[in-house]
Amino acid sequence: MEIQHLEFLKHLIQINRQVYLDHNATTPVSPQVRKKMDQALKKHYGNPSSFYGIARRSAGVMEQARKHVSQAIHADPSEVIFTGCASESNNAVLKSLTDRFYPAKKKIISTPIEHPSILNTLAYLETRGVIVEFCPVDEHGRVLLAELEKQIDADTFLVCCILANNETGVIQDIEAVTKIARKHGALVLTDCVQALGKIPIDVHAWNVDYASFSAHKLYGPKGIGALYVKHGSPFTPLLHGGHQENGLRAGTESLHNIVGFGTACQEVDKLLTHAGQIRVLKQQLIQRLRKIKPDCVINSPETETDCLPNTLSITFPGVENSGLMGMLDYRGIAVSAGSACSTGEDTPSHVLKAMGLSDQAARETIRISLGHDTSARDIQYMAKVIQEYIEGRSPTVNMITAAQLNENILFSENTFVLDVRPSGDRKNFKGLPNAHEVDPLFVEKYLKQFPRDRQILVYCPGGGLSFMISYYLKARGFKNVINLRGGLDAWRKRHGDLYDKYAGQNVTVLQPDEIQDVRIG
Ligand code: PLP
């Protein structure tokens, strides 16, 4: 007799090969960075603003890191301000310049393919009266410089243009953008977050006024950014307080993070040398994917100089990215969608739409971003898993968005709501009405209690664990399984009224069966 407790855990372990292909979201911290940060945490706890020895040593270490960052971007150390993240760097420039110029000058020109830390700040500034115009891009996402020439005028105080896009990897000719801006007396901000460590950066040669950076995109720690402010370009601080960062950014410096950023920047030359190999792997992946699905569309520019070496945005016509990504996650592969679904509503990617893709095509797009730890085996595995999915050889789980999950579906006799949240989340938040709670790590002990003739709606806090369990249920022969995308968090945000009305009602806590002699199907 074989007792098969822990079947679901074994199932997870079996499929637990991890292939991380989302380096544009963030990167693992390099061993060297970890080592230096650890030393900084141990030895350099002195406040760099104090005057005694241990503090002076902290200040020295910080200036060393500033030097390394400035060398990596070809700036002078005195032009580099450490910030909490690149979002802060972007906010600081946009708000500082608006304070300085508005209403004497009213206009900022940007692009429709910026990161939300630019776009949402611009949207905020619009509510304060600033006129924001977006220069269109071509089908590869390249800014149309002739259009920029037409839009820019004496009323424009800033041109804000991302150097390399996070979703497609498209690189802009920032030097040309700056030349146009200069003719009209406008300043230039460029978001270089995705570019540092992937392509050479030279803020002096490009003659930009401001540039933003973030350590966690180049194997450094999260929570530390930098802002380049060209000598003589206007800037007033976003944060007021102490005199740190030459009076330009108040707050005691996060020394270990700064050291981590500096160390990551010391490795930039090595990263750039290795970038060619990453590009080769990307090309191999493209070739394999083209064989598997000849009608796939590569959205990233294919000319070397126009695209980051590691980034691939690819559309698989007829293949919804939500299902594909769920299956990839189930097989241990991390990638992103071209679309952001922050609240569980699958808003198609603004970047892809600006390039002319339809909503549907954007929902059929994924972003694959390779890193320095990516191997040829990873690429083969990825291609094999995609092939199995596209050829219908792996189970598929239907998805429902928070917006789609209404009262009709929740209270339908055909719906069996399965709550696979961890106990901590159950303590903090009431769950969906009519739900059946199980211990998510021992799902196999409840299988007999799940109906095979109804649709099983699986949910967890954020939609990830429920994805895995949904696939497990499919593998165990349950035909109609639906996963709530974005989980309870997204549903609570989207349907606050329904949540207040029904949450926690009629919940059943299922008891596990003592299972014996059950085999994975
Ligand atoms: N700009 C771009 C292009 C990014 O990709 C990101 C991060 O995803 C940011 C800005 C924001 O960086 P941070 O996470 O340091 O705020």
Side-chain angles (χ1 to χ4, degrees), residues 24-25 84-88 90 115 117 162 164-166 191 193-194 213-214 216-217 224:
N24 285 11
C85 56
S87 298
E88 182 193 322
N90 288 335
H115 184 265
S117 56
I162 189 168
N165 182 264
N166 42 310
D191 176 337
V193 168
Q194 290 293 342
F213 303 92
S214 184
H216 73 98
K217 307 290 181 177
I224 181 77

Side-chain angles (χ1 to χ4, degrees), residues 467-507:
F467 240 140
M468 309 289 279
I469 290 179
S470 298
Y471 273 103
Y472 170 71
L473 293 179
K474 290 292 281 196
R476 293 303 312 262
F478 288 87
K479 295 223 158 46
N480 198 351
V481 183
I482 308 179
N483 179 52
L484 176 57
R485 183 189 296 171
L488 185 67
D489 291 349
W491 195 76
R492 271 196 356 256
K493 283 186 198 136
R494 184 63 179 78
H495 289 296
D497 50 341
L498 295 184
Y499 185 81
D500 291 343
K501 198 165 160 193
Y502 298 120
Q505 281 182 18
N506 196 25
V507 168

Side-chain angles (χ1 to χ4, degrees), residues 167-243:
E167 287 190 28
T168 67
V170 63
I171 299 170
Q172 306 299 339
D173 183 350
I174 209 70
E175 214 175 331
V177 169
T178 308
K179 278 187 186 143
I180 295 170
R182 292 280 175 258
K183 278 196 278 179
H184 298 268
L187 297 160
V188 175
L189 160 65
T190 182
D191 176 337
C192 298
V193 168
Q194 290 293 342
L196 184 55
K198 296 174 190 146
I199 56 171
I201 305 279
D202 193 335
V203 289
H204 279 173
W206 298 335
N207 195 23
V208 295
D209 298 280
Y210 313 94
S212 49
F213 303 92
S214 184
H216 73 98
K217 307 290 181 177
L218 69 149
Y219 309 90
K222 294 164 187 57
I224 181 77
L227 173 63
Y228 161 78
V229 180
K230 183 181 149 89
H231 277 154
S233 296
F235 182 75
T236 47
L238 187 65
L239 296 186
H240 295 90
H243 281 94

